[in-house]
Amino acid sequence: MSQAIVRFNRRLGKILSRHRLVEDQDIDEAIQKSGDDGSVMRILIEDGKVAEEEFLGILAMETGVAPIDLNRLSLEENPCEDFKERIARSCKVLPVSKASGVLTVAVSDPQDILLLDELRNLTRCQVQPVLACDFRIEEAIDRLYGDGTKEIEEVLEDYGNLDLELREGHDESDEAVQELSFEGDESPVVKIVNHIIYQALRERASDIHVEPQERSIRVRYRCDGVLGEAQQPPAQLRASIVSRLKIMAGLDIAERRIPQDGKFQLRVEGRQVDFRVSTLPTVHGEKVVLRILDSSNLALNLETLGFEDKALSDIRNAISSSYGMMLVTGPTGSGKSTSLYSCVNEVLSPTENITTVEDPVEYQLDGVVQVPVNAKRGLTFSKALRSILRQDPDTVMIGEIRDLETAEIAVKAALTGHRVFSTLHTNDAPSTVTRMVDMGIDPFLVASATQCIAAQRLCRRLCEDCKQDAGELPAERLVALGFTSEEAAEARLYEPGGCSRCQGGYRGRFALLETMPMDEEVRRVVVGGGSALEIRDTALANGMLTLRRVGILNVLRGKTSLEEVLRVTQGD
């Protein structure tokens, strides 16, 4: 399917360009961002480059196929029993109605003759296509077939027929280990685990938490940075599910007393997805957390990350230098790695020797030498970095500066003609300087080596389909939060609504970025031993936009809610 999708996306781009609906640059960026399986339709519509109705109108005129509004379609039952969920999801086609041997189906590419012929053979009906956006078809498939809850309930019923009991004082884990070692792909536990993973991918989750409780297993997904409840299989399955995940990750299923880390890969709908697995012993068994690394969602273009113009300019000025250090700071899960990968991609060329040292390597980049840290074998950040500097690098990316030794090597590399990208865990850009000094780096060296520091947070984006007016808030309250008097008087604020297409009124995230270039005024304060507050005041006087201020600008654009900005910039 992936090659067909690539061809379709390119054809869409030519149609849009021909009708001058979208700029060629926007089309190229959407095609690049979509990868092999993404939706150019979704990207252009969600980014506001083109209206959905206008998009479908042009396609209908080009193909001669009538469009359909799937949101107004009642999808209480499947009109064709031969049209299984597997067919709908793999082909991204929705059965709409059936009458007199004619099956009407919603498709995004009505010119895919091979697909229509395949549907005729599978359903033994004449097929009549109607036109809809591919991502709307996926949403409608979820409404028609459900989110998989019925399927997992049937699996649990089958498992219940095996008459397994969780007896008081009985440790079922030993039996589960032996049983799972010989299980085939059709076992109930394998079906449940596959469903948990597949459902997480459908909901665009970044993490899966499998937590053993006294009488159940709690499964939660982290979607757009927020954990939410999912299925709760019974406690009888807790050891079996954990053991299945450990087998997939290549872990020791007999060892349950110490934490373990592993990884595995799956190919889902034509794309490769990597999983990092971590286990932790708890009172009721082992908790398992899976970090999902889906390269199809990785944006490697700085412009597509949604930075403010000033932030984008500051970063590009920093990385355009042939030497010096670019630091990205923020808490875990704030998108630092994505920003660093985008910076690496920005300077990537055949004339550059780019090497990274990471723990672990999250995404593999063509043309970049990537070194995974292996502490058990003595390969730490500092040791890897020393060897990398003997490999004639132009650019070095360090996954994280954790200790003084790594910091000293990074600073020396930046001062000796190398471009260095790295991350730190600090709350804002000015405090990064004091953090480096506290680690033991001389203030003069920090000021001389650093080109720019960026603090980052990820903010949830309001769903365009259901966001609603938040009403008026007192101007004094808005001014106290960081709005100007003029903004407070004219501000139109939005709040989340909630619909079938989003997670509680939000869909997707974008980055808030606070950038502090190391200009002459800031350098003088740093060299003079100034505090983080003094550095901050100097940077603000030179035009720095704080995280809170960047968030407010996006609130005024209707991109997110004030509540969400206050949540992610708390304390700023």
Side-chain angles (χ1 to χ4, degrees):
M1 283 293 292
S2 60
Q3 291 303 315
I5 293 173
V6 170
R7 289 194 297 270
F8 177 53
N9 283 339
R10 289 173 179 167
R11 194 161 69 248
L12 278 181
K14 292 179 180 178
I15 292 173
L16 293 172
S17 178
R18 186 163 60 248
H19 289 271
R20 298 184 178 178
L21 275 181
V22 184
E23 296 292 334
D24 290 345
Q25 180 181 352
D26 294 329
I27 295 172
D28 293 340
E29 289 177 359
I31 291 176
Q32 180 183 0
K33 187 177 178 181
S34 67
D36 291 343
D37 293 279
S39 169
V40 167
M41 287 182 174
R42 180 195 293 274
I43 293 169
L44 291 174
I45 291 171
E46 290 187 349
D47 288 351
K49 304 299 183 182
V50 63
E52 184 173 346
E53 296 77 9
E54 193 174 16
F55 201 161
L56 289 176
I58 292 296
L59 292 181
M61 183 174 65
E62 287 273 345
T63 61
V65 176
I68 185 172
D69 186 352
L70 296 179
N71 294 330
R72 299 182 179 180
L73 191 65
S74 175
L75 296 171
E76 296 180 357
E77 60 182 38
N78 190 347
C80 180
E81 294 182 358
D82 293 328
F83 211 106
K84 304 297 183 184
E85 180 180 2
R86 175 182 55 81
I87 301 173
R89 294 196 184 280
S90 63
C91 299
K92 291 187 180 180
V93 176
L94 178 77
V96 174
S97 63
K98 181 181 178 182
S100 303
V102 178
L103 177 65
T104 301
V105 296
V107 298
S108 59
D109 183 9
Q111 295 181 332
D112 191 342
I113 305 301
L114 294 178
L115 172 62
L116 297 179
D117 286 341
E118 183 179 355
L119 294 178
R120 290 190 191 97
N121 295 330
L122 289 171
T123 62
R124 300 184 296 278
C125 295
Q126 291 297 316
V127 175
Q128 176 65 45
V130 290
L131 185 63
C133 289
D134 48 12
F135 64 96
R136 297 298 186 203
I137 293 174
E138 292 177 349
E139 294 167 356
I141 289 172
D142 288 341
R143 300 206 309 272
L144 175 60
Y145 294 101
D147 60 2
T149 303
K150 292 181 179 179
E151 178 183 350
I152 197 169
E153 287 176 352
E154 291 173 359
V155 171
L156 292 177
E157 287 178 5
D158 293 340
Y159 198 92
N161 293 334
L162 298 178
D163 198 26
L164 267 178
E165 293 183 5
L166 183 65
R167 298 184 294 277
E168 291 295 333
H170 174 64
D171 184 358
E172 79 284 15
S173 53
D174 291 335
E175 296 177 9
V177 167
Q178 296 176 7
E179 178 186 352
L180 280 171
S181 297
F182 300 95
E183 281 183 331
D185 289 343
E186 296 304 315
S187 72
V189 171
V190 172
K191 288 182 180 179
I192 291 172
V193 170
N194 289 347
H195 168 78
I196 290 172
I197 293 174
Y198 183 63
Q199 184 67 14
L201 292 172
R202 283 171 55 189
E203 295 188 13
R204 299 180 177 183
S206 60
D207 300 87
I208 305 172
H209 290 243
V210 181
E211 304 168 336
Q213 307 291 309
E214 184 177 3
R215 299 188 178 279
S216 66
I217 301 174
R218 181 165 69 166
V219 178
R220 296 190 290 173
Y221 300 144
R222 186 177 295 279
C223 300
D224 294 336
V226 179
L227 276 174
E229 296 275 357
Q231 308 90 351
Q232 288 196 16
Q236 291 96 322
L237 302 180
R238 63 189 180 196
S240 300
I241 289 175
V242 169
S243 296
R244 171 61 183 169
L245 290 170
K246 290 171 73 173
I247 288 173
M248 295 174 71
L251 302 179
D252 184 355
I253 58 177
E255 179 57 75
R256 300 181 297 278
R257 296 166 296 179
I258 60 174
Q260 297 186 67
D261 295 301
K263 59 184 179 180
F264 64 91
Q265 295 179 340
L266 291 178
R267 193 160 189 83
V268 182
E269 296 180 351
R271 70 183 192 273
Q272 181 175 295
V273 182
D274 296 295
F275 296 82
R276 279 168 33 199
V277 182
S278 173
T279 70
L280 182 69
T282 70
V283 173
H284 299 295
E286 291 176 281
K287 174 180 176 177
V288 183
V289 176
L290 291 81
R291 168 63 58 89
I292 302 173
L293 303 172
D294 187 353
S295 58
S296 66
N297 294 330
L298 182 65
L300 291 179
N301 189 322
L302 284 172
E303 292 185 352
T304 64
L305 297 180
F307 296 158
E308 295 293 318
D309 290 341
K310 181 184 183 305
L312 190 60
S313 175
D314 289 342
I315 290 177
R316 283 195 163 140
N317 286 338
I319 65 179
S320 64
S321 174
S322 59
Y323 68 92
M325 192 159 53
M326 166 74 193
L327 297 174
V328 182
T329 77
T332 301
S334 59
K336 301 188 299 295
S337 295
T338 299
S339 294
L340 283 188
Y341 280 129
S342 298
C343 290
V344 168
N345 190 62
E346 191 87 0
V347 300
L348 184 62
S349 76
T351 62
E352 287 280 320
N353 178 15
I354 303 176
T355 307
T356 75
V357 51
E358 307 170 61
D359 183 21
V361 174
E362 294 190 3
Y363 299 101
Q364 297 182 19
L365 305 177
D366 291 337
V368 178
V369 178
Q370 296 176 270
V371 180
V373 166
N374 191 334
K376 292 181 179 179
R377 297 183 179 275
L379 183 61
T380 61
F381 275 110
S382 56
K383 288 187 177 180
L385 194 51
R386 289 183 190 278
S387 297
I388 288 170
L389 293 177
R390 292 193 288 268
Q391 295 274 315
D392 185 33
D394 296 298
T395 300
V396 179
M397 186 187 103
I398 309 168
E400 182 183 349
I401 295 177
R402 297 178 178 174
D403 52 49
L404 174 59
E405 187 178 8
T406 305
E408 287 178 335
I409 300 172
V411 168
K412 290 177 182 177
L415 290 172
T416 54
H418 302 89
R419 190 189 289 119
V420 178
F421 302 149
S422 190
T423 70
L424 274 173
H425 286 290
T426 59
N427 291 326
D428 57 18
S431 63
T432 303
V433 174
T434 55
R435 168 67 176 146
M436 295 281 286
V437 173
D438 290 342
M439 291 175 70
I441 305 298
D442 185 272
F444 174 78
L445 295 179
V446 175
S448 301
T450 308
Q451 293 284 354
C452 183
I453 301 172
Q456 183 165 319
R457 299 290 188 279
L458 291 181
C459 188
R460 289 184 292 173
R461 187 193 305 267
L462 283 169
C463 175
E464 291 294 332
D465 293 314
C466 65
K467 71 178 184 182
Q468 55 196 26
D469 200 309
E472 294 185 4
L473 291 178
E476 298 80 5
R477 165 72 172 156
L478 295 179
V479 170
L481 292 174
F483 289 75
T484 65
S485 300
E486 293 78 11
E487 291 169 347
E490 302 176 1
R492 183 180 181 185
L493 308 183
Y494 294 90
E495 62 183 8
C499 66
S500 60
R501 304 185 193 93
C502 64
Q503 298 282 340
Y506 297 96
R507 185 175 181 86
R509 291 189 290 177
F510 63 96
L512 303 181
L513 206 69
E514 169 186 293
T515 52
M516 187 182 76
M518 195 65 69
D519 54 33
E520 291 304 317
E521 290 85 353
V522 173
R523 280 196 170 97
R524 277 197 290 269
V525 176
V526 173
V527 172
S531 66
L533 185 59
E534 292 172 322
I535 297 172
R536 179 186 180 89
D537 289 342
T538 303
L540 287 173
N542 290 344
M544 182 181 79
L545 297 177
T546 65
L547 287 166
R548 173 66 61 83
R549 182 59 187 163
V550 174
I552 288 173
L553 292 175
N554 283 283
V555 169
L556 293 170
R557 298 179 185 124
K559 197 172 181 179
T560 189
S561 67
L562 179 58
E563 177 187 21
E564 175 67 5
V565 167
L566 296 179
R567 182 183 72 84
V568 299
T569 63
Q570 188 175 10
D572 293 331

